[in-house]
Amino acid sequence: MRIGLGINYSGGFTEAAAEVADLERAGLDIVFVPEAYSFDAVSALGYLAAKTTRLQLASGILQLYTRTPSLTAMTAAGLDFVSDGRFVLGLGASGPQVIEGFHGVPYDAPIGRTREVVEICRKVWRRERLEYQGKHYQIPLPEGRGTGLGKPLKLINRPVRERIPVLLAALGPKNVALAAEIAEGWQPIFFLPEQAEQVWGDALRSGLAKRDPALGPLDVYAGPALAIGENVTPLLEFVKPTLALYIGGMGAKGKNFYHALATNYGYGAAADRIQELYLAGRKQEAAAAVPEDLARDVSLIGPAGFVKERIAAFKEAGVTVLNVLPMASTAAERVALIEQLRTLCG
């Protein structure tokens, strides 16, 4: 299995970049740079391209609505160029809180827009003259929507690759089916190996049935927290607030994808209680209400033997990349964790 991690987008990037070079030497395979309402991910990815040699670099994620499809394609081609073909284009819809609240752009039709953005990107990378008349994007603009002066263009530069890998962050059945159909990779959240087939199996099979064989096998990126040792179980308490934030606070009642996921995992009553507490502002109580076994089973936290068993469970469930969150306070400790994980993964 390959190993990845995401860097912190809220500050200290110079230090994080120096650490990534050490992590690369420790056996890390791919690093993700997120983009929320922080500094943009593209600047950081370009910087990391110059500081690394082997590591894949992924946007984790670029939001569908914040760039035109053509600019997304241009950006991906540029990052692939400066990294000598090591870039992975991570895309996702994000949510209304960021898209409408920070960017002032309507959050609509995420599934349809995802398909069209990916199709446009691949046309750009193949250096085709860009003519695309979709439901959500029309290039060039048709008569009546612009000056009428727009003509089909193709990318001036020749990309390193005409097929840059696309990774889709997806959670709901239709989104997951789309990822399995059109993307090289799929990134779920809070992946629970024992429940993955029940929750996502039908959606994955539906998408894979329509998949172009040229895309190759679907990579699955799980994101467990990581701590290895005899006395690390108490660190599960640091996983619970994140679960509570998503299950309880990322959306109103009836409109929270993460609450629905926890319910589908079999934790419906707990999810209801977490949401009730979180929306009432009782965040610590909401975290305390997260079931211990849910926090444990979506993580890699425990003695080496236990972690090795959980790695096997993730692999059995179809995971190909462990995009871990090291539970460590120093760079040296994080590097040591990646080295340990590399050994356990074989």
Side-chain angles (χ1 to χ4, degrees):
M1 295 180 78
R2 290 189 292 150
I3 300 171
L5 60 74
I7 67 169
N8 191 331
Y9 51 67
S10 61
F13 177 73
T14 303
E15 295 80 6
E19 183 178 331
V20 165
D22 291 334
L23 290 165
E24 181 180 44
R25 288 187 286 272
L28 192 71
D29 297 298
I30 183 168
V31 64
F32 286 77
V33 179
E35 185 175 80
Y37 41 102
S38 54
F39 289 153
D40 73 289
V42 178
S43 300
L45 285 160
Y47 187 88
L48 287 174
K51 296 293 183 179
T52 56
T53 57
R54 176 189 58 80
L55 203 60
Q56 280 192 301
L57 306 172
S59 53
I61 57 170
L62 297 187
Q63 300 142 0
L64 289 177
Y65 303 88
T66 57
R67 296 170 176 84
T68 67
S70 301
L71 178 57
T72 297
M74 291 163 60
T75 299
L79 287 169
D80 206 46
F81 175 77
V82 298
S83 65
D84 295 321
R86 293 184 286 133
F87 181 62
V88 175
L89 176 59
L91 289 172
S94 186
Q97 297 97 325
V98 174
I99 300 306
E100 296 185 357
F102 190 69
H103 293 282
V105 177
Y107 184 89
D108 66 345
I111 297 173
R113 287 186 183 276
T114 299
R115 182 183 293 277
E116 293 190 11
V117 168
V118 173
E119 288 175 353
I120 292 167
C121 281
R122 288 175 174 157
K123 287 175 72 72
V124 171
W125 299 333
R126 292 193 296 266
R127 298 188 73 239
E128 298 175 9
R129 292 202 176 274
L130 192 52
E131 295 183 84
Y132 189 90
Q133 297 300 311
K135 180 178 179 180
H136 306 288
Y137 301 102
Q138 296 85 44
I139 307 170
L141 282 175
E143 284 188 36
R145 289 200 54 211
T147 64
L149 298 175
K151 303 299 179 186
L153 301 172
K154 67 178 180 180
L155 190 69
I156 294 173
N157 310 89
R158 192 169 295 278
V160 174
R161 296 179 289 177
E162 69 170 30
R163 178 58 69 82
I164 295 169
V166 173
L167 166 67
L168 296 182
L171 193 59
K174 292 181 180 179
N175 304 64
V176 172
L178 181 67
E181 178 188 349
I182 70 170
E184 280 84 358
W186 166 52
Q187 184 178 29
I189 192 170
F190 306 136
F191 190 92
L192 202 167
E194 289 77 8
Q195 295 297 321
E197 165 61 28
Q198 176 181 321
V199 174
W200 289 307
D202 288 345
L204 287 169
R205 280 187 288 275
S206 173
L208 291 172
K210 304 173 186 176
R211 185 178 181 82
D212 182 348
L215 288 171
L218 180 70
D219 274 323
V220 179
Y221 295 72
L226 174 69
I228 305 171
E230 296 300 321
N231 302 303
V232 299
T233 303
L235 292 175
L236 287 172
E237 296 305 312
F238 293 95
V239 175
K240 293 180 180 180
T242 301
L243 285 163
L245 166 64
Y246 280 83
I247 295 169
M250 288 294 190
K253 287 186 177 181
K255 296 184 178 180
N256 183 321
F257 304 127
Y258 312 99
H259 177 281
L261 176 62
T263 299
N264 290 335
Y265 278 164
Y267 294 96
D272 289 344
R273 181 59 176 159
I274 293 165
Q275 187 175 62
E276 176 187 348
L277 291 167
Y278 203 96
L279 294 179
R282 297 156 64 183
K283 297 179 182 180
Q284 289 184 331
E285 292 176 66
V290 173
E292 185 84 3
D293 52 348
L294 174 60
R296 180 195 65 221
D297 291 345
V298 300
S299 303
L300 292 173
I301 296 178
F306 172 79
V307 171
K308 188 168 185 176
E309 290 175 3
R310 295 306 296 160
I311 292 170
F314 277 90
K315 186 175 183 179
E316 178 67 21
V319 172
T320 59
V321 183
L322 292 169
N323 188 31
V324 298
L325 173 64
M327 306 292 284
S329 56
T330 69
E333 290 172 341
R334 287 186 286 272
V335 169
L337 272 175
I338 295 301
E339 289 175 337
Q340 287 179 277
L341 182 61
R342 178 80 280 159
T343 299
L344 293 175
C345 285

